[in-house]
């Protein structure tokens, strides 16, 4: 059973940066695509970024493209989300996720992921 633990969230001023980490345990996720999602109060969970198992391909929502970067260290079973140029509308709980099967193309939809972390709060003040 894969377990995911996010860290790195916090309070930051607009324009600042944070780096989120997602550490996987209980299973080897080296061959799995991984994704980051976020959920703001009163809103549905939304796609942020995803990365292929090789790390060579990454995808972003239009709202974060050019500001966020997803990367992974397969030797450590960790996926990162570097967030620059943060805006108040980026405030949300950020969660990482793993799909049910290895080798899949990175997905954008919540329903295509099986394992989820508890999330880490990111708050951006104006």
């Amino acid at each position: 059973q894969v377990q995911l633990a996010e860290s790195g969230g916090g309070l930051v001023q607009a324009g600042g940066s944070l780096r989120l980490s997602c550490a996987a345990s209980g299973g080897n996720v080296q061959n799995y695509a991984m994704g980051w999602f976020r959920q703001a109060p009163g809103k549905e969970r939304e796609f942020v970024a995803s990365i292929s198992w090789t790390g060579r391909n990454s995808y972003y929502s239009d709202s974060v493209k050019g500001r966020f970067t997803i990367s992974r260290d397969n030797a450590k079973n960790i996926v990162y989300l570097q967030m620059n140029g943060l805006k108040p509308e980026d405030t949300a709980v950020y969660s990482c996720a793993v799909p049910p099967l290895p080798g899949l193309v990175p997905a954008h939809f919540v329903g295509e992921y099986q394992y989820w972390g508890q999330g880490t709060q990111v708050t951006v003040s104006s």
Side-chain angles (χ1 to χ4, degrees):
Q1 181 81 6
V2 174
Q3 295 181 321
L4 304 171
E6 301 92 341
S7 61
L11 174 63
V12 64
Q13 289 189 333
S17 299
L18 285 173
R19 188 176 81 155
L20 306 184
S21 298
C22 170
S25 61
N28 191 336
V29 298
Q30 291 181 5
N31 296 323
Y32 288 73
M34 295 187 72
W36 281 99
F37 289 76
R38 66 186 182 187
Q39 187 167 21
K43 294 188 177 182
E44 293 187 352
R45 183 176 283 175
E46 66 173 2
F47 169 76
V48 176
S50 61
I51 188 168
S52 62
W53 70 273
T54 62
R56 287 199 289 264
N57 301 103
S58 55
Y59 306 88
Y60 301 91
S61 67
D62 288 342
S63 61
V64 308
K65 196 174 297 182
R67 300 187 296 123
F68 291 11
T69 303
I70 188 172
S71 61
R72 66 190 299 162
D73 184 337
N74 281 343
K76 297 181 179 179
N77 263 358
I78 296 178
V79 173
Y80 303 99
L81 185 68
Q82 177 67 43
M83 306 186 296
N84 299 329
L86 283 161
K87 305 175 182 180
E89 51 263 44
D90 294 319
T91 295
V93 175
Y94 285 71
S95 301
C96 60
V98 175
L101 296 173
L104 297 176
V105 174
H108 298 190
F109 300 104
V110 170
E112 295 182 88
Y113 289 84
Q114 181 172 1
Y115 303 102
W116 293 84
Q118 293 296 315
T120 184
Q121 176 71 46
V122 171
T123 303
V124 184
S125 63
S126 55

